[in-house]
Amino acid sequence: EISVMLYPVPVSDELYLLVTNFKEDDITVVIRNIHGQSVYAQRYRAGSLNNSAIDTSGLRPGVYLLHVLDNNRFSKILKFIKQ
């Protein structure tokens, strides 16, 4: 089973993303603010999201949604707080 984890939460500067047991396709990571606007989008190769750091230093403090998805059917949304 695919597992997606974020840490530390709340985050100050670097948010770490860990995706395990995902081998199929490339993965897209999108961060949206509370208004639904995309503030970050990046495509990763399958298997390369083992403790990948995302720079959040340019984000304003608040609540964000991180969406991890592939080209097929996998989709996971996680909430995090930026300090």
Side-chain angles (χ1 to χ4, degrees):
E1 181 170 315
I2 299 168
S3 172
V4 180
M5 292 178 26
L6 294 176
Y7 64 93
V9 176
V11 62
S12 295
D13 293 321
E14 287 192 338
L15 179 68
Y16 290 90
L17 176 63
L18 175 62
V19 179
T20 56
N21 297 329
F22 193 90
K23 301 173 180 86
E24 297 296 320
D25 295 319
D26 291 347
I27 298 172
T28 301
V29 175
V30 178
I31 297 176
R32 297 184 191 281
N33 63 21
I34 199 70
H35 304 291
Q37 300 164 320
S38 176
V39 296
Y40 175 89
Q42 183 68 43
R43 189 167 192 89
Y44 294 90
R45 300 287 300 155
S48 68
L49 282 173
N50 294 329
N51 289 328
S52 295
I54 298 173
D55 182 13
T56 64
S57 61
L59 298 180
R60 299 179 78 169
V63 176
Y64 291 86
L65 298 175
L66 183 136
H67 191 184
V68 178
L69 62 149
D70 70 0
N71 293 330
N72 294 316
R73 63 183 177 268
F74 179 76
S75 177
K76 178 85 174 191
I77 297 175
L78 301 168
K79 180 171 64 171
F80 71 92
I81 297 170
K82 163 69 172 146
Q83 290 182 327

